[in-house]
Structure formats: C-alpha cells, structure tokens
C-alpha cells in the first residue's frame, strides 16, 4: 500500500492502525458488515446518479472543515457519480450506511481520508489504490461528507407538465397497423450512452428505427394491447412509441422525476371494468414518488410520494426509491416496489381521486422481480436482505419471504417446470455464483411452494439476468459484472431436464467477431424471440468501441446470427414485444 500525501496525510501503517481502531464503527461500510463484498457488487452499487448536474443549494456547515466553492462542486459531482447509489442522495443511507455530518465529523478528516483511500472488506471501495480517485479528490471527499448534504430540487406537477409533449395526438394516429412488420417479434434494445433505443425486426434482424429517448433506458414495457412501447431512461424521461405507425416512432414523452427506473401500463380487464391501455405509471428514484398518467397521451394525473417508515425498524426514511412496478392481472392494481422501506404498494387505480393503497411490508431493499408462471405471485428481490419476497396479487398479501443467495438480481427471473419440484422460478445473484430455484406451485406441489428447493452452481458472481421460455428446455444466465473477462464475455446454459450435469458455456463475445479494440465486450441479458427458438444477447462495449447483438439457436446452442451496425452503441437491455406484453420469461 502507498501512503497518501505525506505532507497532509497518514502513512499506510498509520492507516491500518486507524482502520483497526475504528473497525467497530464502520459507518461507511455496507449494510451487511459480516461478509466480504465482491467486486461485482461494488461495480453494481457504485453506478452514477442522474442528479450529478442538477442545481443544488450549498449549505456550509460552520463546524466542518472549510471548502472552497470549487472544492465543494468537485465533491458534489464525485459523490453523485460514485457514492449516491449506496449512501443515498441525502446521505441518510441506502444500501450503504448514513454519511450525515453527525457521523462523519465525529470520525475526523484523517480517518475519513484513510477509509476512502483504502476501503474495507465490508464494502467500502478502495478509491485511491484502485486508481478511481487521486489524492486531491480523496481529501476533498473527506471534507465534503462533513458538510451538510446539498438537496436536489423537487419535481412536482408543474415541473412534470412542463416536460409533457404529445408529438402525435391519438386522433391523428393510425386506426390500424400501417406497416408489414411482425410487431410482436420486435426487440427494443437500449443504446445506453446515446440516449436511444434501437427497434430491431426479430424476423429479418434489421434495425427498423433508432428512437431518441432519455439517457440509459432502464426498461422497455409493452402496453396490454401490444400496440404501444413505453421506455424510461435513468433521467426520468418516458417515451411512448406507437408500433402501428409506418415506421414505429415516438408519439408522446414526459419526464416524471430527475432520476428513475420503472414504468408499466394497466393490464386488468374484469368486473371492475376494462383498463387495458388506459393508464401508465412510472416511479422515480428522486424525488421518491410515483406518477400515474393517461395511457395514450402520458398526461400526468396523480403524483404520490413514497417517503415514509422502513419495515421492521419503523424509522423514517426521506428518500425511498421506487425500484420496480408491475401491473396486476387479478385486480385493477399496480404493484409498486419501494426499495429502502421494503414495502410493496398495491395501488388501486379505479378512482384516482380517492386512491386506495394497500401496503405490504417484507424486507429492504426491494429491487426487481417477475411473476410466477400463473402471474398470481410476484417474486421480488429484497437484494441486501438476501431474500425473495413473494406477493400474492390475488389476495393482496405477503405469501412468503424466501432466503436465497447473496444479493439476488433476477431481472424478471425465469419460470420453468423442474423434473422433481414442479414449477419453479429462478434468480441469479450479484454476490455469489449460485442460481436459486424457488417452488411456485402451492396447489400440486405444496411442500415445495415458496421455498428454495435447489441451488445451481454458476461460473461466478456478477449475474444480472436469467431467462427461460415455456417452449424451451434451457435456462440461460449472464455475468456481465464479473471481473474475469472470460466469464463476463460469455453465458452459461443449463439443460432443465439434466440440471445435475451443470452448465455449458457459450462464447458469445467471441462469436460476435468484433475487432480487438480493447472494448469490454460484456455479454448481457438473454432474451427469447416470440417463438421461443432464438435467444438474443447484447455484446456491450464502451461508447467509442464496437458492440453487437448475437442470436443463438436455442435447440442447437449454435450461433445463428450477428447483428452489427455502427448505430448499435453500448447496447444493454433488450426486450421482445410479445414476451414483455405477456410476461413470458
């Protein structure tokens, strides 16, 4: 280890002594202090916030070490690029512990510099020795986190309406499909760093259109009818794309917050009425809120804050982020999963003027998930609690909390029929090499229902997505955040009928045939076509490097096609219209 600036900082020996002395007080460490945090977890948690460039009020703490305006701005920018994902916008704690002045000032600048520089096994990255920060930035950050946290602006109805734009009114849109595309087999592919999605024809493997969107689209969701595609960027911008147009394109847009991840549309049709395509909903990281909109224009109708008490401790949390939203098939409800408070909100949308919300507490930090094969039970990862929360959408209650591996990250997960345990739902993990299988059939396989029935061994941590299909007998898992390039550039496949044989590895990045230009070539998100006989993968490199899409024949596990185009810049998530519309995974 090398020392910090000797003129103003501690030697490495003194640093180790400080870390040992303060070991019981690791306020900067992650929630789970007992287990070593892996590199894939750090890569995932330290993602930048979209609030970096938002104007914020600076409140100097007179008791904190002095900072110039330039130093404060460097600290603020660095914090939102590196730290906010773990410690929260207001530094009150999220998946990482609080960094408020009452805690940080008690530590002192020297201690904080050592901790920032060298990290800890409990989760604090070694920002200096990894090369991510220089000594000047470490010193600035040690003083910055002793200042009062700057507060980003709120984003209420007036601000939201200023961003709302109807490009083509419903009255001017086609009354029937005006193109020859098999719209059910279109793929919406996120072009992360250009703020676009590529609409790709799944039949011909040709790009139909490149649509301008918000930055780093997180998900694409299809309306209940299959006509409209909704995408949401991390900057909170939603684009509504009409697949009936001669060339599918944007017909409405809005921004529902300053940072966001989730969007969906109403799917229920029953005795309470036909709500298919009637409403849309999106949730924000900041401000912590969800917004209900008109389903064909995105006109904002209702904003609801998610600030409140954490399940279990019942302590107030000022910024509980909306992590994922799905639409119930059993009731006119949206399921809104709130990360920090560990609550699933069952939002009855039949009367927005007298909104009814059923609050179901499970465990922090709720993230992403998917339906079981019956679409009754929503399986959502409480990732820092290492659990899967099972929400019964029919009865409106918590059906179970299932212990799984370290930091489950299922995406939507994968449903298939296990030869021994019957219907199961599967999740991979960021923090370990396992794939957990959870039984989902309480009728015919009651003794296995909502229990972890098996673990499959994968190649290593860093998995983000897992996928299967009702017409397939294969299970695919990626690991794009694994530090080993051989793992991050390939996927593993299991034969569902012979799971004990382990996996086979497909060298997807190698099959892409991209130039040896130094790009990371991480392989991410298996996604089936409508027929269930092809699996698509994104080969994701840097913005200035070549990327591609790779298509695999699911029957033979052989390369079927490679899609290369200079417009495919940083492709990440990709969503098949039919499978997204019908929750097939």
């Amino acid at each position: 280890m090398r020392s910090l600036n000797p003129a103003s900082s501690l030697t490495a020996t003194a640093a180790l002594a400080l870390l040992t002395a303060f070991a019981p007080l690791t306020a900067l460490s992650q929630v789970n202090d007992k287990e070593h945090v892996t590199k894939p977890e750090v890569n995932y948690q330290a993602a930048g916030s979209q609030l970096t460039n938002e104007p914020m009020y600076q409140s100097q703490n007179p008791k904190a070490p002095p900072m110039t305006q330039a130093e404060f701005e460097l600290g603020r920018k660095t914090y939102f690029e590196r730290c906010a994902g773990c410690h929260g916008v207001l530094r009150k704690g999220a998946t990482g512990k609080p960094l408020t002045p009452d805690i940080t000032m008690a530590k002192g600048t020297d201690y904080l510099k050592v901790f920032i520089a060298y990290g800890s096994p409990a989760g604090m990255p070694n920002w200096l020795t990894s090369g991510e920060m220089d000594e000047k930035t470490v010193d600035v950050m040690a003083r910055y986190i002793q200042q009062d946290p700057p507060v980003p602006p709120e984003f209420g109805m007036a601000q939201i309406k200023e961003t709302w734009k109807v490009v083509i009114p419903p009255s001017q849109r086609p009354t029937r499909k005006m193109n020859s595309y098999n719209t059910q087999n279109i793929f919406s592919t996120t072009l992360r760093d250009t703020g676009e999605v590529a609409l790709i024809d799944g039949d011909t493997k040709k790009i139909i259109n490149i649509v301008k969107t918000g930055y780093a689209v997180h998900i694409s969701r299809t309306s209940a009818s299959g006509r409209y595609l909704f995408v949401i960027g991390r900057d909170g911008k939603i684009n509504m794309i009409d697949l009936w147009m001669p060339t599918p394109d944007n017909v409405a847009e809005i921004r529902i917050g300053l940072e966001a991840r989730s969007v969906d549309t109403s799917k229920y049709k029953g005795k309470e009425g036909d709500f298919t395509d009637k409403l849309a909903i999106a949730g924000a990281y900041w401000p912590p809120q969800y917004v209900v909109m008109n389903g064909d224009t995105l006109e904002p109708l209702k904003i609801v804050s998610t600030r409140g008490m954490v399940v279990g401790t019942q302590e107030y949390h000022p910024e509980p982020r909306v992590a994922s939203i799905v639409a119930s098939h059993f009731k006119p409800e949206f399921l809104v999963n709130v990360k920090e408070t560990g609550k699933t909100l069952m939002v009855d949308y039949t009367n927005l003027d007298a909104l009814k919300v059923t609050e179901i507490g499970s465990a922090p930090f709720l993230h992403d998930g998917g339906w079981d094969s019956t679409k009754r039970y929503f399986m959502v990862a409480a990732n820092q609690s290492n659990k899967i929360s099972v929400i019964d959408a029919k009865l409106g209650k918590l059906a179970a909390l299932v212990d799984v591996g370290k930091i489950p990250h299922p995406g939507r997960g994968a449903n298939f029929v296990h030869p021994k345990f019957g219907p199961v739902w599967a999740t991979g993990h960021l923090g370990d090499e396992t794939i957990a299988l959870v039984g989902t059939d309480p009728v015919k396989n009651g003794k296995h229902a909502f229990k972890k029935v098996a673990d499959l061994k994968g190649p290593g941590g860093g998995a983000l997505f897992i996928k299967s299909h009702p017409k397939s007998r294969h299970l695919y898992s990626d690991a794009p955040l694994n530090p080993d390039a051989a793992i991050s550039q390939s996927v593993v496949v299991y034969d569902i009928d012979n799971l004990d044989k382990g996996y086979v590895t497909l060298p997807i990045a190698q099959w892409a045939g991209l130039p040896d230009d130094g790009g990371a070539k991480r392989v991410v998100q298996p996604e089936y076509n409508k027929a269930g006989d092809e699996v698509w993968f994104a080969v994701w490199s840097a913005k200035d490097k070549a990327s591609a899409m790779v298509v695999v024949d699911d029957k033979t596990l052989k390369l079927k096609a490679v899609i290369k185009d200079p417009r495919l810049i940083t492709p990440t998530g990709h969503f098949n219209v039919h499978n997204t519309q019908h929750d097939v995974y």
Side-chain angles (χ1 to χ4, degrees), residues 216-269:
V217 163
H218 193 244
I219 56 173
S220 299
R221 290 290 176 260
T222 310
S223 67
S225 68
R227 173 174 181 172
Y228 293 111
L229 186 70
F230 295 80
V231 302
I232 188 166
R234 288 175 179 254
D235 57 3
K237 183 179 180 181
I238 302 170
N239 288 81
M240 180 180 179
I241 299 168
D242 187 354
L243 299 178
W244 281 12
M245 295 173 64
T247 300
D249 209 337
N250 189 35
V251 293
E253 62 184 46
I254 196 170
R255 193 178 185 194
I256 56 89
L258 300 177
E259 185 171 6
R261 297 292 189 277
S262 52
V263 67
D264 211 337
T265 65
S266 53
K267 292 184 168 66
Y268 179 76
K269 182 179 181 181

Short mmCIF file of all heavy atoms in Angstrom, two decimals, residues 216-269:
data_model
loop_
_atom_site.label_atom_id
_atom_site.label_comp_id
_atom_site.label_asym_id
_atom_site.label_seq_id
_atom_site.Cartn_x
_atom_site.Cartn_y
_atom_site.Cartn_z
N ALA A 216 -29.79 6.32 -20.94
CA ALA A 216 -29.64 4.98 -20.35
C ALA A 216 -30.99 4.36 -20.01
O ALA A 216 -31.30 4.11 -18.84
CB ALA A 216 -28.74 5.03 -19.12
N VAL A 217 -31.78 4.13 -21.04
CA VAL A 217 -33.10 3.50 -20.83
C VAL A 217 -32.93 2.24 -19.97
O VAL A 217 -32.10 1.37 -20.26
CB VAL A 217 -33.76 3.15 -22.18
CG1 VAL A 217 -34.88 2.14 -21.99
CG2 VAL A 217 -34.29 4.42 -22.83
N HIS A 218 -33.71 2.18 -18.90
CA HIS A 218 -33.58 1.08 -17.95
C HIS A 218 -34.43 -0.11 -18.36
O HIS A 218 -33.99 -1.26 -18.29
CB HIS A 218 -33.95 1.55 -16.55
CG HIS A 218 -33.57 0.59 -15.48
ND1 HIS A 218 -34.48 -0.05 -14.68
CD2 HIS A 218 -32.36 0.14 -15.07
CE1 HIS A 218 -33.87 -0.84 -13.82
NE2 HIS A 218 -32.58 -0.75 -14.05
N ILE A 219 -35.67 0.16 -18.77
CA ILE A 219 -36.55 -0.92 -19.21
C ILE A 219 -37.44 -0.45 -20.35
O ILE A 219 -37.67 0.74 -20.53
CB ILE A 219 -37.46 -1.45 -18.07
CG1 ILE A 219 -38.28 -0.31 -17.46
CG2 ILE A 219 -36.67 -2.20 -17.03
CD1 ILE A 219 -39.32 -0.78 -16.47
N SER A 220 -37.94 -1.42 -21.11
CA SER A 220 -38.99 -1.19 -22.09
C SER A 220 -40.19 -2.05 -21.68
O SER A 220 -40.01 -3.21 -21.30
CB SER A 220 -38.53 -1.62 -23.49
OG SER A 220 -37.42 -0.87 -23.93
N ARG A 221 -41.37 -1.47 -21.74
CA ARG A 221 -42.59 -2.21 -21.38
C ARG A 221 -43.62 -2.03 -22.49
O ARG A 221 -43.76 -0.94 -23.06
CB ARG A 221 -43.15 -1.71 -20.05
CG ARG A 221 -42.29 -2.08 -18.86
CD ARG A 221 -42.35 -3.58 -18.58
NE ARG A 221 -41.46 -3.96 -17.50
CZ ARG A 221 -40.25 -4.50 -17.68
NH1 ARG A 221 -39.79 -4.68 -18.91
NH2 ARG A 221 -39.51 -4.84 -16.66
N THR A 222 -44.37 -3.09 -22.77
CA THR A 222 -45.38 -3.08 -23.81
C THR A 222 -46.76 -2.92 -23.20
O THR A 222 -47.05 -3.50 -22.15
CB THR A 222 -45.33 -4.39 -24.62
OG1 THR A 222 -43.99 -4.64 -25.02
CG2 THR A 222 -46.22 -4.32 -25.83
N SER A 223 -47.63 -2.14 -23.83
CA SER A 223 -48.99 -1.99 -23.34
C SER A 223 -49.74 -3.30 -23.44
O SER A 223 -49.33 -4.23 -24.15
CB SER A 223 -49.72 -0.91 -24.14
OG SER A 223 -49.90 -1.32 -25.49
N ALA A 224 -50.87 -3.39 -22.73
CA ALA A 224 -51.64 -4.64 -22.70
C ALA A 224 -52.08 -5.08 -24.08
O ALA A 224 -52.15 -6.27 -24.39
CB ALA A 224 -52.85 -4.47 -21.78
N SER A 225 -52.38 -4.12 -24.96
CA SER A 225 -52.81 -4.44 -26.32
C SER A 225 -51.66 -4.83 -27.23
O SER A 225 -51.87 -5.40 -28.30
CB SER A 225 -53.54 -3.24 -26.93
OG SER A 225 -52.62 -2.17 -27.16
N GLY A 226 -50.44 -4.49 -26.83
CA GLY A 226 -49.27 -4.75 -27.67
C GLY A 226 -48.98 -3.65 -28.67
O GLY A 226 -48.00 -3.74 -29.42
N ARG A 227 -49.80 -2.58 -28.68
CA ARG A 227 -49.59 -1.52 -29.67
C ARG A 227 -48.48 -0.57 -29.26
O ARG A 227 -47.67 -0.14 -30.10
CB ARG A 227 -50.88 -0.74 -29.89
CG ARG A 227 -50.68 0.48 -30.77
CD ARG A 227 -51.94 1.21 -31.13
NE ARG A 227 -51.66 2.34 -32.00
CZ ARG A 227 -52.59 3.09 -32.59
NH1 ARG A 227 -53.87 2.84 -32.40
NH2 ARG A 227 -52.24 4.09 -33.38
N TYR A 228 -48.44 -0.19 -28.00
CA TYR A 228 -47.52 0.85 -27.57
C TYR A 228 -46.35 0.28 -26.78
O TYR A 228 -46.50 -0.66 -25.99
CB TYR A 228 -48.25 1.88 -26.70
CG TYR A 228 -49.27 2.69 -27.46
CD1 TYR A 228 -50.63 2.53 -27.21
CD2 TYR A 228 -48.89 3.62 -28.42
CE1 TYR A 228 -51.58 3.29 -27.90
CE2 TYR A 228 -49.82 4.37 -29.12
CZ TYR A 228 -51.17 4.20 -28.86
OH TYR A 228 -52.09 4.93 -29.54
N LEU A 229 -45.21 0.90 -27.00
CA LEU A 229 -44.00 0.56 -26.27
C LEU A 229 -43.62 1.75 -25.40
O LEU A 229 -43.56 2.88 -25.89
CB LEU A 229 -42.87 0.24 -27.26
CG LEU A 229 -41.55 -0.27 -26.70
CD1 LEU A 229 -41.71 -1.67 -26.14
CD2 LEU A 229 -40.48 -0.27 -27.80
N PHE A 230 -43.40 1.50 -24.11
CA PHE A 230 -43.01 2.56 -23.18
C PHE A 230 -41.59 2.29 -22.70
O PHE A 230 -41.27 1.18 -22.26
CB PHE A 230 -43.95 2.57 -21.96
CG PHE A 230 -45.37 2.93 -22.30
CD1 PHE A 230 -46.24 1.98 -22.83
CD2 PHE A 230 -45.86 4.21 -22.08
CE1 PHE A 230 -47.56 2.29 -23.13
CE2 PHE A 230 -47.18 4.53 -22.39
CZ PHE A 230 -48.02 3.58 -22.91
N VAL A 231 -40.74 3.30 -22.79
CA VAL A 231 -39.37 3.16 -22.30
C VAL A 231 -39.08 4.31 -21.34
O VAL A 231 -39.60 5.41 -21.49
CB VAL A 231 -38.34 3.16 -23.46
CG1 VAL A 231 -38.63 2.04 -24.44
CG2 VAL A 231 -38.31 4.49 -24.19
N ILE A 232 -38.26 4.03 -20.32
CA ILE A 232 -37.92 5.06 -19.35
C ILE A 232 -36.41 5.10 -19.14
O ILE A 232 -35.77 4.06 -18.96
CB ILE A 232 -38.65 4.84 -18.00
CG1 ILE A 232 -38.42 6.04 -17.06
CG2 ILE A 232 -38.26 3.52 -17.35
CD1 ILE A 232 -39.36 6.07 -15.87
N GLY A 233 -35.85 6.30 -19.22
CA GLY A 233 -34.42 6.49 -19.01
C GLY A 233 -34.12 6.71 -17.53
O GLY A 233 -35.01 7.02 -16.73
N ARG A 234 -32.87 6.57 -17.18
CA ARG A 234 -32.46 6.83 -15.81
C ARG A 234 -32.66 8.29 -15.42
O ARG A 234 -32.69 8.62 -14.24
CB ARG A 234 -30.99 6.42 -15.61
CG ARG A 234 -30.79 4.91 -15.62
CD ARG A 234 -29.32 4.54 -15.54
NE ARG A 234 -29.17 3.09 -15.53
CZ ARG A 234 -28.83 2.37 -14.46
NH1 ARG A 234 -28.63 2.98 -13.31
NH2 ARG A 234 -28.70 1.06 -14.53
N ASP A 235 -32.81 9.16 -16.41
CA ASP A 235 -33.06 10.58 -16.13
C ASP A 235 -34.54 10.87 -15.95
O ASP A 235 -34.94 12.04 -15.86
CB ASP A 235 -32.48 11.46 -17.23
CG ASP A 235 -33.02 11.11 -18.62
OD1 ASP A 235 -33.88 10.22 -18.73
OD2 ASP A 235 -32.57 11.73 -19.60
N GLY A 236 -35.38 9.84 -15.89
CA GLY A 236 -36.81 10.02 -15.63
C GLY A 236 -37.65 10.31 -16.86
O GLY A 236 -38.86 10.52 -16.73
N LYS A 237 -37.06 10.31 -18.03
CA LYS A 237 -37.83 10.60 -19.25
C LYS A 237 -38.48 9.34 -19.79
O LYS A 237 -37.83 8.30 -19.94
CB LYS A 237 -36.92 11.21 -20.33
CG LYS A 237 -37.68 11.61 -21.60
CD LYS A 237 -36.74 12.24 -22.63
CE LYS A 237 -37.51 12.64 -23.89
NZ LYS A 237 -36.62 13.23 -24.91
N ILE A 238 -39.78 9.45 -20.10
CA ILE A 238 -40.55 8.35 -20.69
C ILE A 238 -40.86 8.68 -22.14
O ILE A 238 -41.26 9.80 -22.45
CB ILE A 238 -41.87 8.13 -19.94
CG1 ILE A 238 -41.63 7.84 -18.45
CG2 ILE A 238 -42.66 6.98 -20.56
CD1 ILE A 238 -42.89 7.84 -17.63
N ASN A 239 -40.67 7.72 -23.00
CA ASN A 239 -41.09 7.84 -24.41
C ASN A 239 -42.13 6.77 -24.71
O ASN A 239 -41.99 5.62 -24.31
CB ASN A 239 -39.90 7.68 -25.35
CG ASN A 239 -38.99 8.88 -25.31
OD1 ASN A 239 -38.16 9.00 -24.41
ND2 ASN A 239 -39.13 9.77 -26.27
N MET A 240 -43.18 7.19 -25.41
CA MET A 240 -44.26 6.30 -25.82
C MET A 240 -44.16 6.12 -27.32
O MET A 240 -44.27 7.08 -28.09
CB MET A 240 -45.60 6.91 -25.41
CG MET A 240 -46.81 6.09 -25.77
SD MET A 240 -48.31 6.96 -25.21
CE MET A 240 -49.57 5.81 -25.79
N ILE A 241 -43.94 4.88 -27.76
CA ILE A 241 -43.69 4.57 -29.17
C ILE A 241 -44.87 3.78 -29.73
O ILE A 241 -45.29 2.78 -29.14
CB ILE A 241 -42.38 3.76 -29.31
CG1 ILE A 241 -41.20 4.59 -28.79
CG2 ILE A 241 -42.16 3.33 -30.75
CD1 ILE A 241 -39.92 3.80 -28.61
N ASP A 242 -45.41 4.24 -30.85
CA ASP A 242 -46.55 3.59 -31.49
C ASP A 242 -46.04 2.60 -32.54
O ASP A 242 -45.45 2.98 -33.55
CB ASP A 242 -47.44 4.65 -32.15
CG ASP A 242 -48.74 4.07 -32.71
OD1 ASP A 242 -48.90 2.83 -32.70
OD2 ASP A 242 -49.59 4.87 -33.17
N LEU A 243 -46.28 1.31 -32.29
CA LEU A 243 -45.80 0.28 -33.20
C LEU A 243 -46.67 0.11 -34.43
O LEU A 243 -46.33 -0.65 -35.35
CB LEU A 243 -45.70 -1.06 -32.45
CG LEU A 243 -44.75 -1.10 -31.26
CD1 LEU A 243 -44.78 -2.46 -30.58
CD2 LEU A 243 -43.31 -0.75 -31.67
N TRP A 244 -47.80 0.83 -34.51
CA TRP A 244 -48.67 0.76 -35.69
C TRP A 244 -48.26 1.72 -36.79
O TRP A 244 -48.73 1.62 -37.92
CB TRP A 244 -50.12 1.04 -35.29
CG TRP A 244 -50.81 -0.11 -34.65
CD1 TRP A 244 -50.25 -1.27 -34.19
CD2 TRP A 244 -52.21 -0.22 -34.42
NE1 TRP A 244 -51.21 -2.09 -33.67
CE2 TRP A 244 -52.44 -1.47 -33.80
CE3 TRP A 244 -53.31 0.62 -34.65
CZ2 TRP A 244 -53.70 -1.91 -33.42
CZ3 TRP A 244 -54.57 0.19 -34.27
CH2 TRP A 244 -54.77 -1.07 -33.67
N MET A 245 -47.42 2.69 -36.49
CA MET A 245 -47.04 3.68 -37.48
C MET A 245 -46.25 3.03 -38.62
O MET A 245 -45.65 1.97 -38.43
CB MET A 245 -46.20 4.78 -36.82
CG MET A 245 -46.97 5.60 -35.80
SD MET A 245 -45.90 6.75 -34.90
CE MET A 245 -45.37 7.82 -36.22
N PRO A 246 -46.24 3.64 -39.82
CA PRO A 246 -45.47 3.07 -40.92
C PRO A 246 -44.03 2.76 -40.51
O PRO A 246 -43.49 1.71 -40.85
CB PRO A 246 -45.54 4.17 -41.99
CG PRO A 246 -46.85 4.85 -41.72
CD PRO A 246 -47.01 4.84 -40.23
N THR A 247 -43.41 3.70 -39.79
CA THR A 247 -42.15 3.44 -39.10
C THR A 247 -42.38 3.72 -37.63
O THR A 247 -42.59 4.88 -37.25
CB THR A 247 -41.01 4.34 -39.63
OG1 THR A 247 -40.82 4.09 -41.03
CG2 THR A 247 -39.72 4.05 -38.89
N PRO A 248 -42.41 2.71 -36.78
CA PRO A 248 -42.70 2.93 -35.37
C PRO A 248 -41.82 4.03 -34.78
O PRO A 248 -40.60 4.05 -35.00
CB PRO A 248 -42.39 1.57 -34.74
CG PRO A 248 -42.68 0.59 -35.84
CD PRO A 248 -42.22 1.28 -37.09
N ASP A 249 -42.46 4.96 -34.06
CA ASP A 249 -41.71 6.11 -33.55
C ASP A 249 -42.44 6.70 -32.35
O ASP A 249 -43.55 6.28 -31.97
CB ASP A 249 -41.55 7.16 -34.64
CG ASP A 249 -40.28 7.99 -34.48
OD1 ASP A 249 -39.75 8.07 -33.35
OD2 ASP A 249 -39.82 8.57 -35.49
N ASN A 250 -41.85 7.74 -31.81
CA ASN A 250 -42.32 8.40 -30.61
C ASN A 250 -43.61 9.19 -30.88
O ASN A 250 -43.71 9.93 -31.86
CB ASN A 250 -41.22 9.37 -30.13
CG ASN A 250 -41.48 9.95 -28.78
OD1 ASN A 250 -42.03 9.30 -27.90
ND2 ASN A 250 -41.09 11.20 -28.59
N VAL A 251 -44.62 9.02 -29.98
CA VAL A 251 -45.86 9.79 -30.12
C VAL A 251 -46.14 10.66 -28.89
O VAL A 251 -46.99 11.56 -28.95
CB VAL A 251 -47.07 8.89 -30.40
CG1 VAL A 251 -46.95 8.24 -31.77
CG2 VAL A 251 -47.26 7.84 -29.30
N ALA A 252 -45.45 10.41 -27.78
CA ALA A 252 -45.60 11.24 -26.60
C ALA A 252 -44.39 11.05 -25.70
O ALA A 252 -43.71 10.02 -25.77
CB ALA A 252 -46.88 10.90 -25.83
N GLU A 253 -44.12 12.06 -24.87
CA GLU A 253 -42.99 11.95 -23.94
C GLU A 253 -43.26 12.80 -22.72
O GLU A 253 -44.07 13.74 -22.73
CB GLU A 253 -41.69 12.37 -24.61
CG GLU A 253 -41.66 13.81 -25.09
CD GLU A 253 -40.37 14.16 -25.84
OE1 GLU A 253 -39.95 13.36 -26.72
OE2 GLU A 253 -39.81 15.22 -25.53
N ILE A 254 -42.57 12.49 -21.64
CA ILE A 254 -42.72 13.22 -20.38
C ILE A 254 -41.54 12.86 -19.49
O ILE A 254 -40.90 11.81 -19.68
CB ILE A 254 -44.06 12.86 -19.68
CG1 ILE A 254 -44.41 13.88 -18.60
CG2 ILE A 254 -44.01 11.45 -19.10
CD1 ILE A 254 -45.82 13.71 -18.05
N ARG A 255 -41.25 13.72 -18.53
CA ARG A 255 -40.24 13.42 -17.52
C ARG A 255 -40.92 13.46 -16.16
O ARG A 255 -41.51 14.48 -15.78
CB ARG A 255 -39.09 14.43 -17.58
CG ARG A 255 -37.86 14.00 -16.78
CD ARG A 255 -36.72 14.99 -16.90
NE ARG A 255 -35.54 14.50 -16.22
CZ ARG A 255 -34.47 15.25 -15.92
NH1 ARG A 255 -34.47 16.54 -16.25
NH2 ARG A 255 -33.44 14.72 -15.30
N ILE A 256 -40.88 12.33 -15.42
CA ILE A 256 -41.65 12.23 -14.17
C ILE A 256 -40.80 12.43 -12.91
O ILE A 256 -41.31 12.37 -11.80
CB ILE A 256 -42.38 10.88 -14.08
CG1 ILE A 256 -41.40 9.70 -14.22
CG2 ILE A 256 -43.45 10.81 -15.16
CD1 ILE A 256 -40.79 9.20 -12.96
N GLY A 257 -39.52 12.69 -13.11
CA GLY A 257 -38.61 12.92 -11.99
C GLY A 257 -37.24 13.23 -12.54
O GLY A 257 -37.04 13.33 -13.76
N LEU A 258 -36.27 13.35 -11.65
CA LEU A 258 -34.91 13.66 -12.06
C LEU A 258 -34.07 12.40 -12.21
O LEU A 258 -33.03 12.42 -12.86
CB LEU A 258 -34.27 14.61 -11.05
CG LEU A 258 -34.99 15.95 -10.88
CD1 LEU A 258 -34.30 16.79 -9.81
CD2 LEU A 258 -35.03 16.71 -12.20
N GLU A 259 -34.51 11.31 -11.59
CA GLU A 259 -33.84 10.02 -11.74
C GLU A 259 -34.89 8.93 -11.55
O GLU A 259 -35.72 9.02 -10.64
CB GLU A 259 -32.71 9.86 -10.72
CG GLU A 259 -31.91 8.58 -10.91
CD GLU A 259 -30.66 8.51 -10.05
OE1 GLU A 259 -30.46 9.41 -9.20
OE2 GLU A 259 -29.89 7.55 -10.22
N ALA A 260 -34.87 7.91 -12.40
CA ALA A 260 -35.94 6.92 -12.36
C ALA A 260 -35.48 5.60 -12.95
O ALA A 260 -34.40 5.50 -13.54
CB ALA A 260 -37.17 7.44 -13.12
N ARG A 261 -36.33 4.57 -12.78
CA ARG A 261 -36.02 3.23 -13.29
C ARG A 261 -37.22 2.48 -13.87
O ARG A 261 -37.02 1.54 -14.63
CB ARG A 261 -35.42 2.35 -12.17
CG ARG A 261 -34.10 2.81 -11.58
CD ARG A 261 -32.96 2.71 -12.55
NE ARG A 261 -31.67 2.96 -11.92
CZ ARG A 261 -31.16 4.16 -11.70
NH1 ARG A 261 -31.85 5.24 -12.05
NH2 ARG A 261 -29.98 4.31 -11.13
N SER A 262 -38.47 2.81 -13.49
CA SER A 262 -39.56 1.87 -13.75
C SER A 262 -40.76 2.52 -14.42
O SER A 262 -41.11 3.67 -14.15
CB SER A 262 -40.01 1.23 -12.43
OG SER A 262 -40.27 2.22 -11.46
N VAL A 263 -41.42 1.73 -15.29
CA VAL A 263 -42.64 2.16 -15.97
C VAL A 263 -43.46 0.92 -16.30
O VAL A 263 -42.91 -0.17 -16.49
CB VAL A 263 -42.31 2.95 -17.26
CG1 VAL A 263 -41.65 2.06 -18.30
CG2 VAL A 263 -43.53 3.63 -17.84
N ASP A 264 -44.78 1.06 -16.33
CA ASP A 264 -45.65 -0.02 -16.78
C ASP A 264 -47.02 0.57 -17.11
O ASP A 264 -47.26 1.76 -16.89
CB ASP A 264 -45.78 -1.13 -15.74
CG ASP A 264 -46.00 -2.51 -16.39
OD1 ASP A 264 -46.48 -2.55 -17.54
OD2 ASP A 264 -45.68 -3.52 -15.77
N THR A 265 -47.91 -0.27 -17.64
CA THR A 265 -49.25 0.18 -18.01
C THR A 265 -50.30 -0.77 -17.44
O THR A 265 -50.01 -1.92 -17.11
CB THR A 265 -49.42 0.25 -19.54
OG1 THR A 265 -49.33 -1.07 -20.09
CG2 THR A 265 -48.36 1.12 -20.16
N SER A 266 -51.52 -0.28 -17.35
CA SER A 266 -52.61 -1.08 -16.77
C SER A 266 -52.97 -2.25 -17.67
O SER A 266 -53.04 -2.11 -18.88
CB SER A 266 -53.83 -0.19 -16.52
OG SER A 266 -54.20 0.51 -17.68
N LYS A 267 -53.22 -3.41 -17.05
CA LYS A 267 -53.48 -4.64 -17.81
C LYS A 267 -54.80 -5.30 -17.44
O LYS A 267 -55.23 -6.25 -18.09
CB LYS A 267 -52.34 -5.64 -17.59
CG LYS A 267 -51.01 -5.22 -18.19
CD LYS A 267 -49.97 -6.32 -18.03
CE LYS A 267 -48.73 -6.05 -18.87
NZ LYS A 267 -47.99 -4.90 -18.43
N TYR A 268 -55.45 -4.83 -16.39
CA TYR A 268 -56.62 -5.56 -15.87
C TYR A 268 -57.86 -5.35 -16.73
O TYR A 268 -58.17 -4.23 -17.15
CB TYR A 268 -56.92 -5.11 -14.45
CG TYR A 268 -58.13 -5.79 -13.84
CD1 TYR A 268 -58.06 -7.11 -13.38
CD2 TYR A 268 -59.35 -5.12 -13.73
CE1 TYR A 268 -59.16 -7.73 -12.83
CE2 TYR A 268 -60.46 -5.74 -13.18
CZ TYR A 268 -60.36 -7.05 -12.73
OH TYR A 268 -61.46 -7.66 -12.18
N LYS A 269 -58.58 -6.45 -16.98
CA LYS A 269 -59.88 -6.42 -17.62
C LYS A 269 -60.78 -7.39 -16.87
O LYS A 269 -60.54 -8.60 -16.87
CB LYS A 269 -59.77 -6.82 -19.09
CG LYS A 269 -61.09 -6.76 -19.85
CD LYS A 269 -60.89 -7.14 -21.32
CE LYS A 269 -62.20 -7.05 -22.09
NZ LYS A 269 -62.03 -7.43 -23.52
#
